[in-house]
Amino acid sequence: MITPVQGILLFTLMVLSWLLSSSDRALNNILRKMRLITVGLLHMLLSKDKKSKLEYDPSQVELDSDSVSKRLILIRHGESEWNEVFNRGFDISFIFRLISALVREVIMLSTRDSVFFDSPLSDTGIRQAQELVRFMEKPTNDQKLDEIISVLNGEKPESSIIVTSNLRRAVATGLLSLWDRLTKTREPYYVVSCLQEMTFNVDGVSLLERKEAPNERVGKELGFDVRYDSQFNYGTKSLQSNGSKRMGEFCDWLFTRKEKTIICNGHSLYFKEFFRKYLPLGLDHEAKRNKIVNCGVVSLVLQKGKIKNK
């Protein structure tokens, strides 16, 4: 009968044998996963992503004739596989969801894919993005809403751009929901790391390296090469970064753009904290209390001014 110690040694030998017999690419992917595990653990233990001090009350900002404004259209990503495992309750079904995800993660060990790291859209998340597409296909008889939909559909492409965080679930949500526009206009799809989600969890660790574009396989399979622009993707967030800093960097970036509207594919907590950071402290607003639903869309105007007495 094999003892627990012998079992561990046997398993270790099997893993070592597998590593030695793997191709160079597979071996590099395995070593990369080991590094990602280290990065993920460090973020869970030491990250300050949600820790920041409010520098000023937005109500102190003064606007004048030189003040610049931009419209943001925020699109939250669909449900991710991480959400599917951990956000559907912790009843008996959680055990089965977790075991299934762990098995798939082990199978993917020698690839660049992952269930947990930079978690992709689940099947439900894909359906949610498709529902958003169907919603945008017909008029709503609401003038303001129909105008937003017309911008999303690319009827005025010269006045807006599409950006996404460097996490796969946001990239994919933008591809699915804005596919008709991207194929029609052939405009760049900007990947910006300053939109990366605020979280300590490993699903917020990006698989993309610095300046690396997302996987182009999906576009090619559908007969279209997506024009990713990844010059503003600086790789996954560092331990020294935090969400508030990235929001400031994003605002600095968007005010350098000539376009009037920025369509942002991003994340619930980031968007919620964005409202809390830039809406007046004394204002009680739903956006400061609640997250945007999966594939929900919110439009707002962001104005750049000067702080009083500064």
Side-chain angles (χ1 to χ4, degrees):
M1 183 175 179
I2 299 177
T3 66
V5 174
Q6 291 172 328
I8 293 172
L9 289 174
L10 179 61
F11 177 76
T12 303
L13 288 172
M14 290 173 63
V15 170
L16 288 173
S17 176
W18 177 39
L19 287 173
L20 290 172
S21 62
S22 298
S23 67
D24 289 343
R25 177 178 294 181
L27 183 59
N28 286 334
N29 286 333
I30 292 169
L31 294 175
R32 187 168 182 269
K33 289 283 179 68
M34 298 300 104
R35 179 173 63 83
L36 284 174
I37 290 172
T38 302
V39 170
L41 288 174
L42 287 174
H43 272 285
M44 292 180 72
L45 296 172
L46 304 175
S47 175
K48 298 180 180 179
D49 210 20
K50 298 180 182 179
K51 298 178 181 178
S52 61
K53 293 181 180 179
L54 191 63
E55 299 172 2
Y56 60 90
D57 184 342
S59 64
Q60 298 175 337
V61 176
E62 293 181 327
L63 303 175
D64 55 35
S65 58
D66 296 325
S67 297
V68 182
S69 64
K70 297 285 185 181
R71 176 165 64 168
L72 302 184
I73 301 179
L74 310 180
I75 304 176
R76 183 194 171 182
H77 64 79
E79 182 193 66
S80 69
E81 293 196 345
W82 175 279
N83 298 149
E84 182 180 58
V85 174
F86 294 103
N87 291 9
R88 292 190 180 182
F90 294 95
D91 54 13
I92 189 64
S93 66
F94 167 71
I95 302 297
F96 294 101
R97 295 197 307 272
L98 180 60
I99 292 173
S100 173
L102 288 171
V103 169
R104 285 184 291 141
E105 190 69 54
V106 171
I107 293 172
M108 294 177 183
L109 184 60
S110 62
T111 73
R112 289 202 63 177
D113 203 355
S114 175
V115 175
F116 296 122
F117 289 94
D118 196 350
S119 189
L121 290 179
S122 66
D123 290 341
T124 298
I126 293 172
R127 288 194 296 271
Q128 289 167 340
Q130 292 169 337
E131 289 171 6
L132 176 57
V133 173
R134 288 192 290 272
F135 177 80
M136 296 191 299
E137 287 176 344
K138 53 189 177 182
T140 66
N141 296 320
D142 181 311
Q143 185 175 356
K144 290 183 178 179
L145 186 54
D146 286 338
E147 194 276 331
I148 293 171
I149 291 174
S150 72
V151 173
L152 291 172
N153 284 333
E155 295 176 14
K156 300 177 181 177
E158 72 283 355
S159 65
S160 63
I161 58 170
I162 305 173
V163 304
T164 179
S165 93
N166 56 357
L167 294 173
R168 290 185 294 172
R169 53 193 180 273
V171 176
T173 298
L175 280 181
L176 291 170
S177 59
L178 303 172
W179 181 256
D180 286 346
R181 167 176 170 155
L182 288 167
T183 55
K184 178 173 63 178
T185 64
R186 298 186 177 274
E187 65 192 280
Y189 187 16
Y190 292 90
V191 182
V192 292
S193 51
C194 51
L195 280 174
Q196 193 171 350
E197 175 64 310
M198 294 175 62
T199 181
F200 302 148
N201 297 324
V202 298
D203 68 320
V205 175
S206 176
L207 294 179
L208 294 179
E209 303 291 347
R210 183 182 179 88
K211 308 290 185 180
E212 183 182 8
N215 192 320
E216 299 178 352
R217 176 177 55 83
V218 175
K220 289 180 178 179
E221 287 179 351
L222 295 174
F224 174 70
D225 290 335
V226 180
R227 287 183 57 201
Y228 289 111
D229 188 322
S230 57
Q231 63 177 308
F232 304 109
N233 171 31
Y234 302 113
T236 197
K237 59 194 176 185
S238 68
L239 283 175
Q240 290 71 40
S241 177
N242 65 55
S244 182
K245 287 181 181 178
R246 294 197 298 279
M247 289 175 196
E249 292 166 0
F250 178 61
C251 289
D252 289 340
W253 178 80
L254 69 87
F255 279 112
T256 67
R257 303 296 309 185
K258 63 180 181 180
E259 297 85 4
K260 296 180 180 179
T261 300
I262 315 294
I263 301 168
C264 308
N265 295 281
H267 307 274
S268 59
L269 187 56
Y270 185 104
F271 289 156
K272 179 183 175 183
E273 292 302 314
F274 190 89
F275 284 112
R276 297 183 67 176
K277 180 179 175 70
Y278 293 113
L279 284 175
L281 289 180
L283 178 65
D284 181 26
H285 195 284
E286 181 182 6
K288 297 168 71 174
R289 299 190 305 271
N290 301 316
K291 296 178 180 179
I292 302 174
V293 298
N294 289 121
C295 288
V297 180
V298 173
S299 177
L300 64 123
V301 174
L302 188 68
Q303 296 174 300
K304 183 178 181 180
K306 297 180 181 178
I307 302 175
K308 296 177 183 178
N309 304 320
K310 288 190 179 181

